[in-house]
Amino acid sequence: MTRVYLDYNATAPLRPEALEAVTRAYALGGNPSSIHAAGRAARALVEQARTEIAALIGGPASTVVFTSGGTEANALAVDSAVATGSKRLIVSAIEHDSVLETAKASGASVEILPVNAEGLADLAWLAERLSRWDAADGRPFVALMLANNETGVIQPVREASEIVRAAEGWLHVDAIQAAGKIPTDSRALGADTLSTSAHKLGGPQGVGALTFGPRATLVRRQHGGGQERGRRAGTENVPGIAGFGAAAMAALRDLNDQAPMRDAAAERLKALGAVVIAETSPRLPNTLCVATPGHTSDLQVMKLDLAGFMVSAGSACSSGKVKASHVLSAMGLGELADCAIRVSGGWGTTENDWAAFVDAWSEIRHAARRAPAA
């Protein structure tokens, strides 16, 4: 069976450029903190990648801190805000669990920034809430992701940053799904901290980065050596970092526009009775969240997998858990949330892949209608 991978938002397949960079780094060896030749060569790879990640997400290379992934990058931002005096956090209702759960576990109070039915943050709510901020709660901290991992909805981050800055707050932007898919610049967005992850754009798993601006103070979460300029202890993952940099450069050279293929697939699905989630909102060009009334998400995912198509029923970090998507629930979709799947393409996805997926989905849909009632 020919299998078609349409779950890039969970993990993008490793780009050839990244594989080559990882392989070279493993062959090189050396600890980047060592001062001998092998160590200096390893350090050069890390610093080259730091420059490449800075080019991907904006800001000076000196402000890029490498982490073990997007989860740690998000946690570093949240915990740093709390450590420097933020006692109340505002987190959007559609944030990734790595932000939501870290905020809840931080010891600070947490408020949820609502979204509308199309998945866009309610900036009027945010402005009103910050206008009556209690100084006893410390500096306001707001987390608003750039693009949602389930729906692909691109958030009004620049507008939010102006509201947060007027309140002298700290804006954290999770750009993990956006970087490498749409132009991403932390400075233009007004982000005080911005996170990204290698494996979402075709780099290796297990490496991410956080960039920070002059209004953010990072407080390291793990202690030991003075790596990453004292902001993140532990020997750097040189092969992973090198692969991350190579993937970033490949993504910048080719922001693969999947939107025409995605939209053509969406029109066919709608004609067959599907509901496209957040259709009128700006979305990542590679992402399609679609619901089929009367057909549960997990059943669709299983049947499509048997037909050779790999999609998901939401965030990969929630796989195997029988629970409703907090993102779709926050949008007020009700029972429709239990019938939604996410289809996401990327650097290796073709027009034929999208078309074949719709063909398979259509056949599954017709087979379900032909099946005798239980």
Side-chain angles (χ1 to χ4, degrees):
M1 177 190 297
T2 300
R3 303 194 68 84
V4 176
Y5 186 81
L6 290 170
D7 202 13
Y8 276 68
N9 284 13
T11 286
L14 193 66
R15 291 176 182 266
E17 300 92 336
L19 177 59
E20 182 181 355
V22 169
T23 303
R24 284 200 314 268
Y26 271 121
L28 177 66
N31 187 316
S33 294
S34 298
I35 60 173
H36 50 58
R40 294 196 304 274
R43 172 56 55 192
L45 288 182
V46 171
E47 297 312 317
Q48 176 185 335
R50 200 183 307 276
T51 299
E52 292 166 340
I53 302 309
L56 176 74
I57 59 178
S62 61
T63 68
V64 173
V65 179
F66 287 116
T67 66
S68 64
T71 291
E72 186 190 345
N74 283 333
L76 179 57
V78 174
D79 287 343
S80 292
V82 174
T84 54
S86 295
K87 298 178 183 178
R88 185 174 294 274
L89 314 176
I90 296 177
V91 179
S92 89
I94 58 168
E95 293 301 302
H96 189 272
D97 280 341
S98 60
V99 173
L100 286 166
E101 294 303 317
T102 301
K104 292 175 184 177
S106 69
S109 299
V110 179
E111 292 186 53
I112 300 299
L113 167 60
V115 298
N116 64 19
E118 287 298 306
L120 290 165
D122 186 343
L123 297 191
W125 183 98
L126 178 63
E128 192 279 330
R129 179 64 188 89
L130 291 181
S131 71
R132 53 183 176 82
W133 193 260
D134 188 338
D137 288 328
R139 184 182 184 185
F141 175 88
V142 177
L144 178 62
M145 61 182 6
L146 181 51
N148 184 259
N149 47 301
E150 294 187 38
T151 64
V153 173
I154 300 170
Q155 296 299 316
V157 169
R158 178 65 226 177
E159 294 84 349
S161 74
E162 295 172 359
I163 296 170
V164 175
R165 186 150 298 197
E168 300 183 349
W170 174 329
L171 177 66
H172 173 61
V173 177
D174 174 347
I176 290 168
Q177 282 298 341
K181 297 170 186 168
I182 58 174
T184 303
D185 188 317
S186 62
R187 294 163 298 185
L189 291 169
D192 294 298
T193 46
L194 183 144
S195 57
T196 190
S197 179
H199 76 107
K200 302 297 186 180
L201 51 88
Q205 296 173 343
V207 60
L210 182 73
T211 187
F212 63 97
R215 293 163 19 91
T217 300
L218 299 188
V219 178
R220 64 180 181 177
R221 306 180 76 240
Q222 59 191 52
H223 302 278
Q227 292 90 350
E228 293 303 290
R229 297 174 173 85
R231 300 185 182 100
R232 199 264 184 185
T235 300
E236 291 95 341
N237 172 8
V238 178
I241 289 170
F244 191 2
M249 289 297 95
L252 281 173
R253 286 192 300 269
D254 177 27
L255 281 175
N256 184 8
D257 187 8
Q258 296 274 308
M261 310 176 204
R262 185 271 313 271
D263 291 344
E267 289 303 314
R268 289 182 61 198
L269 290 169
K270 285 164 56 181
L272 294 166
V275 177
V276 175
I277 306 301
E279 184 177 15
T280 63
S281 294
R283 289 171 292 153
L284 292 174
N286 77 312
T287 305
L288 175 63
C289 185
V290 61
T292 310
H295 296 267
T296 61
S297 307
D298 54 353
L299 191 58
Q300 290 182 69
V301 170
M302 286 188 290
K303 288 185 175 180
L304 283 164
D305 189 42
L306 290 172
F309 293 85
M310 292 171 276
V311 302
S312 73
S315 172
C317 300
S318 299
S319 297
K321 300 177 184 177
V322 182
K323 66 174 186 177
S325 162
H326 73 273
V327 172
L328 302 185
S329 295
M331 293 168 62
L333 294 180
E335 293 182 359
L336 201 60
D338 297 326
C339 305
I341 60 173
R342 180 189 68 191
V343 188
S344 51
W347 66 265
T349 308
T350 67
E351 184 176 4
N352 286 340
D353 292 335
W354 282 100
F357 155 73
V358 178
D359 291 341
W361 184 94
S362 176
E363 177 55 35
I364 291 168
R365 173 85 158 151
H366 290 316
R369 287 174 168 172
R370 292 194 299 267

